[in-house]
Amino acid sequence: MGHRLKVLHVPYTYFPDPVGGTEIYVRSLVANLARSGVTSVICAPGASARSYVHAGVQVHRFAGRHSEWPLEFWYDEGDSIAAEAFAALLALEKPDVVHVHAHTTGVSLRLASKVRAYGVPMVFTYHTATVSCETGGLLRWGHTPCDGRMDASRCCACNLARLGMPRAFASLVGRAPQGVGRIVEKCGLRGPAWTALRMSALLGRKHAAIRAFLEIADVVVAPSQWVASLLEANALPAAKVAVCAQGLVRHPSSDLRKPLAAIPPLRVAVLARLDRSKGVHVLVEALAASRDLDVVLDVFGVRQPGEPGYFETVSRAITLDPRIRLCSAVPHDEVPDLLARYHVLAVPSQIMETGPLVVLEAFAAGIPVIGSDLGGIRERVIDGRNGLLVRAADRGAWAASLSRLIASPGMLQSLSRGITAPPTMEGVSAKMEKIYRALTSPSAVRAPANRTTCV
């Protein structure tokens, strides 16, 4: 087994606070690493500084800046207060490796620079498109998959269009020299129009910070092939990238090859955060336009802070359709057994996902997936073999896919037979430990220090 490693994991948040897929991944990774003798500590931003134990693992929360943030702060090298608080915890815990699972104002270039200054290797996992995409979805103009290349002019135009500016005008503003934005900033001009003129310069600053952050990392983990391609498009050396897909946390207690109940009605489950990016509204609207579909749709929604009014709009639409139920979110450990009660899982994401983990959970339960033809969903769902792929925002296509399954029970059974057992977190843990040990071996060669000024 060799030297007993100590790894400090840095996610965006952590239990018992509301969490997402990244934190579920981290919790499972930590549990599996412990079985092979690797000690893990969690260090995550929080509303206040505190330390506690969760599921037998030491957790530290560090606080950052609480005052009102100027616009520039969101595009800068990160929160210096949070970075200093993290540095103190780094010195306290003395890890062999730091594994960063987020890139935010709190988990930033300044924080990564503290890791470099301390002198231990850093691993970074690109869990979500929000790492490098200002819109958060990596969809050009909101609908076409983007290669993810960070280009201030192009990204500026796309972001301004997302905010409501006509595309042609957004493209024109995006081509404005970044120097214009810097002059606007220097003059202290404020307001929507001036902010639009500054956007290219702001994104140029943010992209520089992201590139420096990735440069500090000794290994960058890509959970999907499309993430590896994105990193390549941004000139990250291939030798620095490790592709390691997500793994299943727990198999269901029921048999993977359970017999399917008769249809109709077609029992469909959705497990998603109630946010526009997850696309629950697309599925609800598809059913509203197809009243004859014999479907039971259960939406297990997680409500988190997000777009104002979205939850109210979706829940109101659900109450108007007796075929749809809005259900409380279930504990993650119960998800595989829950899914075994349905014919199919729907994943109507409107963004490029690096996973999502729920696809693997559906396959473990032996049920196929109808998913958006994007990102990690496209990599895991093989159209016509273990599920169906649908154009993400095409409500008619979603309704048509559901109709096909209702009309052809044999297709549903065929898709179920096409499912293979998904990878597990035990395998992911073994790959991560191998990376950690390679970085900490006496023969490991560290990258030269980066030209950053925020240590």
Side-chain angles (χ1 to χ4, degrees):
M1 185 181 294
H3 168 66
R4 186 178 180 89
L5 286 174
K6 184 177 187 180
V7 181
L8 186 64
H9 295 270
V10 190
Y12 165 70
T13 185
Y14 207 66
F15 303 89
D17 292 353
V19 299
T22 296
E23 289 72 39
I24 292 170
Y25 171 98
V26 172
R27 181 179 65 178
S28 180
L29 175 62
V30 165
N32 281 282
L33 287 170
R35 296 187 186 105
S36 60
V38 177
T39 299
S40 295
V41 176
I42 306 296
C43 194
S48 60
R50 59 192 178 113
S51 296
Y52 56 92
V53 175
H54 179 84
V57 177
Q58 179 66 56
V59 180
H60 298 294
R61 308 299 292 272
F62 58 92
R65 179 174 178 158
H66 291 295
S67 58
E68 185 177 349
W69 296 346
L71 178 66
E72 297 81 10
F73 183 79
W74 297 99
Y75 300 89
D76 212 336
E77 296 174 339
D79 188 340
S80 59
I81 296 175
E84 291 295 339
F86 169 81
L89 294 171
L90 186 63
L92 173 69
E93 290 294 344
K94 300 179 176 59
D96 299 298
V97 179
V98 173
H99 190 161
V100 179
H101 298 270
H103 181 269
T104 65
T105 54
V107 185
S108 65
L109 172 59
R110 292 185 186 277
L111 182 147
S113 297
K114 296 298 183 183
V115 178
R116 171 52 57 89
Y118 188 74
V120 296
M122 178 177 125
V123 176
F124 171 65
T125 297
Y126 188 112
H127 282 287
T128 70
T130 56
V131 169
S132 58
C133 176
E134 187 66 12
T135 70
L138 274 173
L139 297 177
R140 185 84 170 123
W141 307 118
H143 54 75
T144 303
C146 180
D147 63 7
R149 181 173 54 85
M150 290 183 287
D151 177 279
S153 175
R154 187 175 69 154
C155 296
C156 171
C158 188
N159 188 47
L160 290 177
R162 176 183 67 93
L163 296 173
M165 184 178 288
R167 185 188 300 186
F169 193 39
S171 297
L172 181 64
V173 174
R175 289 195 292 271
Q178 293 186 34
V180 172
R182 289 190 285 270
I183 291 172
V184 170
E185 179 181 347
K186 186 175 181 180
C187 293
L189 300 172
R190 296 290 184 267
W194 296 117
T195 299
L197 283 174
R198 294 179 61 192
M199 186 59 63
S200 182
L202 290 169
L203 287 177
R205 180 188 302 181
K206 184 173 185 176
H207 292 169
I210 294 169
R211 288 190 174 96
F213 177 91
L214 293 174
E215 191 178 342
I216 287 176
D218 295 272
V219 173
V220 179
V221 178
S224 296
Q225 287 293 337
W226 74 260
V227 176
S229 298
L230 175 149
L231 296 169
E232 179 183 354
N234 286 289
L236 199 70
K240 202 174 195 177
V241 178
V243 178
C244 183
Q246 295 174 337
L248 188 71
V249 174
R250 185 183 72 83
H251 282 278
S253 57
S254 54
D255 184 3
L256 179 65
R257 301 301 180 187
K258 67 178 182 66
L260 292 174
I263 55 173
L266 180 71
R267 292 180 54 81
V268 184
V270 174
L271 286 82
R273 188 173 71 250
L274 292 176
D275 178 270
R276 183 167 294 273
S277 66
K278 295 300 183 179
V280 172
H281 64 286
V282 174
L283 200 54
V284 171
E285 291 166 7
L287 289 184
S290 304
R291 295 289 180 180
D292 58 333
L293 284 179
D294 198 353
V295 172
V296 171
L297 172 63
D298 287 344
V299 178
F300 296 88
V302 177
R303 186 179 182 182
Q304 291 181 331
E307 181 181 347
Y310 181 81
F311 173 80
E312 289 75 16
T313 300
V314 170
S315 58
R316 190 180 309 116
I318 288 175
T319 61
L320 297 175
D321 194 327
R323 299 168 298 174
I324 310 176
R325 296 184 299 182
L326 182 57
C327 309
S328 300
V330 299
H332 184 259
D333 290 344
E334 298 176 14
V335 168
D337 290 319
L338 171 76
L339 289 176
R341 306 174 200 164
Y342 292 86
H343 293 110
V344 66
L345 171 75
V347 187
S349 294
Q350 302 296 296
I351 58 173
M352 298 279 282
E353 300 268 13
T354 58
L357 184 60
V358 71
V359 170
L360 302 184
E361 291 167 329
F363 289 162
I367 69 170
V369 173
I370 304 178
S372 296
D373 191 9
L374 293 172
I377 301 171
R378 184 176 186 174
E379 289 184 22
R380 290 158 178 79
V381 178
I382 304 172
D383 190 46
R385 181 183 299 179
N386 57 13
L388 299 175
L389 292 173
V390 182
R391 291 187 301 277
D394 190 335
R395 292 153 179 79
W398 281 100
S401 294
L402 294 172
S403 181
R404 285 176 64 193
L405 294 179
I406 294 170
S408 304
M411 174 185 291
L412 192 61
Q413 295 176 16
S414 175
L415 294 175
S416 184
R417 287 194 297 269
I419 295 170
T420 56
T424 65
M425 280 303 294
E426 287 88 347
V428 172
S429 172
K431 291 180 181 179
M432 287 299 105
E433 183 180 358
K434 185 176 180 181
I435 290 172
Y436 301 152
R437 292 200 180 279
L439 289 173
T440 56
S441 69
S443 60
V445 177
R446 298 292 311 285
N450 299 281
R451 296 187 298 276
T452 58
T453 58
C454 50
V455 171

